[in-house]
């Protein structure tokens, strides 16, 4: 049984989003045919948001809600999955100058995984940093499809994946309700918990899916062949 998750979303807990979680889940329910998403992962900016109990909303709309974080590093923005107390004690998620290599290594040691997001985006993506810095070690996957990407950004992400053999994910990067679920990740396994998600992200049995209308898919066959 496969699972489709939007791995990159921002609710009103992020300072630049005004999207309530309930509105996200209602939108997904109303557009289930065109965006068949089983769940979302809240990746609030520079924080791990422990607040809020979404179990009633999950039951009401039949859509899973998991939590992660988006942090800022010297190699661009990165999603941290499997956040636990040890990670929160070790890192100040509000620090916009986190060391990417330390973050990747320590999060893995503590049982999570770091996925660089929108790597093809200027200034805040890994692609640009790779032009004048050494490649990072122990990167398992990067975000290939981002619902907020401008022309050329996903293509640069595909270049990184093809060159380094990363696994590829997808996420909407939604800050507005109407954007939820535009891009997502299809896992071959059934996922119910954040622990399941971390395990499957490390295993690599998934692919990005694009639900954006009238958009040609970004080629990533070469990248998949190198894995």
């Amino acid at each position: 049984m496969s699972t489709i998750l939007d791995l990159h979303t921002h609710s009103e807990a992020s300072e630049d989003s005004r999207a309530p979680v309930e509105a996200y889940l209602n939108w997904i329910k109303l557009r289930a045919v065109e965006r068949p998403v089983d769940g979302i992962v809240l990746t609030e900016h520079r924080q791990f948001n422990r607040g809020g109990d979404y179990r009633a909303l999950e039951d009401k709309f039949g859509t899973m809600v998991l939590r992660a974080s988006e942090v800022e590093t010297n190699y661009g923005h990165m999603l941290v999955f499997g956040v636990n107390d040890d990670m929160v004690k070790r890192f100040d998620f509000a620090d916009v100058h986190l060391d990417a290599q330390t973050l990747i290594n320590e999060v893995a040691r503590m049982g999570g995984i770091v996925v660089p997001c929108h790597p093809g985006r200027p200034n805040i993506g890994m692609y640009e940093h790779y032009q004048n810095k050494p490649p990072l070690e122990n990167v398992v996957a990067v975000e290939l499809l981002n619902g907020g990407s401008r022309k050329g950004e996903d293509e640069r992400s595909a270049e990184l994946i093809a060159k380094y053999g990363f696994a590829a994910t997808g996420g909407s990067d939604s800050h507005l309700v109407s954007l939820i679920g535009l891009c997502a990740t299809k896992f071959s396994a059934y996922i119910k918990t954040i622990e399941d998600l971390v395990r499957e992200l490390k295993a690599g049995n998934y692919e990005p899916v694009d639900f954006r209308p009238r958009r040609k898919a970004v080629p990533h066959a070469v990248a998949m062949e190198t894995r």
Side-chain angles (χ1 to χ4, degrees):
M1 181 178 180
S2 62
T3 309
I4 299 178
L5 298 176
D6 184 342
L7 296 183
H8 188 174
T9 72
H10 299 281
S11 78
E12 55 193 348
S14 289
E15 77 287 345
D16 56 352
S17 173
R18 296 293 181 269
V21 174
E22 183 169 7
Y24 273 153
L25 302 188
N26 185 56
W27 192 272
I28 289 171
K29 182 177 181 179
L30 292 174
R31 286 155 181 79
V33 173
E34 63 214 63
R35 302 181 199 178
V37 176
D38 298 305
I40 65 173
V41 184
L42 299 173
T43 53
E44 311 297 3
H45 288 297
R46 299 180 299 281
Q47 62 178 296
F48 179 59
N49 183 24
R50 298 178 182 274
D53 184 346
Y54 302 115
R55 286 174 293 184
L57 291 177
E58 290 177 305
D59 292 340
K60 178 180 179 180
F61 293 101
T63 302
M64 179 173 26
V65 180
L66 301 176
R67 292 186 182 93
S69 181
E70 180 176 352
V71 300
E72 300 180 25
T73 78
N74 58 334
Y75 275 76
H77 291 196
M78 302 191 176
L79 304 177
V80 183
F81 298 97
V83 180
N84 56 37
D85 290 341
D86 289 338
M87 295 176 203
V88 173
K89 292 176 183 176
R90 174 67 176 82
F91 296 101
D92 176 5
F93 282 19
D95 183 357
V96 297
H97 301 292
L98 290 172
D99 182 77
Q101 192 63 72
T102 301
L103 179 75
I104 291 166
N105 293 345
E106 286 293 284
V107 166
R109 183 181 66 82
M110 296 175 185
I113 186 172
V114 173
V115 177
C117 54
H118 42 66
R121 190 161 299 170
N123 300 319
I124 60 174
M126 192 169 72
Y127 181 94
E128 190 167 295
H129 291 281
Y130 265 37
Q131 306 312 302
N132 51 39
K133 297 177 184 177
L136 293 165
E137 298 178 353
N138 304 321
V139 176
V140 175
V142 302
E143 185 181 73
L144 171 63
L145 300 181
N146 181 286
S149 288
R150 296 183 179 181
K151 184 177 180 180
E153 291 181 2
D154 287 351
E155 287 74 15
R156 286 193 290 272
S157 300
E159 286 183 37
L160 277 180
I161 290 168
K163 182 174 182 179
Y164 294 99
F166 301 134
T169 70
S172 68
D173 197 3
S174 57
H175 293 68
L176 299 174
V177 173
S178 61
L179 302 182
I180 194 72
L182 281 179
C183 297
T185 306
K186 183 177 182 179
F187 294 85
S188 58
Y190 176 66
I191 293 173
K192 187 62 177 177
T193 67
I194 195 67
E195 291 79 15
D196 294 340
L197 175 57
V198 169
R199 182 192 66 238
E200 294 306 315
L201 282 171
K202 292 180 178 180
N205 298 318
Y206 48 86
E207 62 180 349
V209 287
D210 198 341
F211 300 122
R212 289 172 287 189
R214 297 181 302 279
R215 180 181 173 90
K216 293 181 179 179
V218 176
H220 63 285
V222 174
M224 302 300 285
E225 290 172 3
T226 63
R227 289 164 47 192

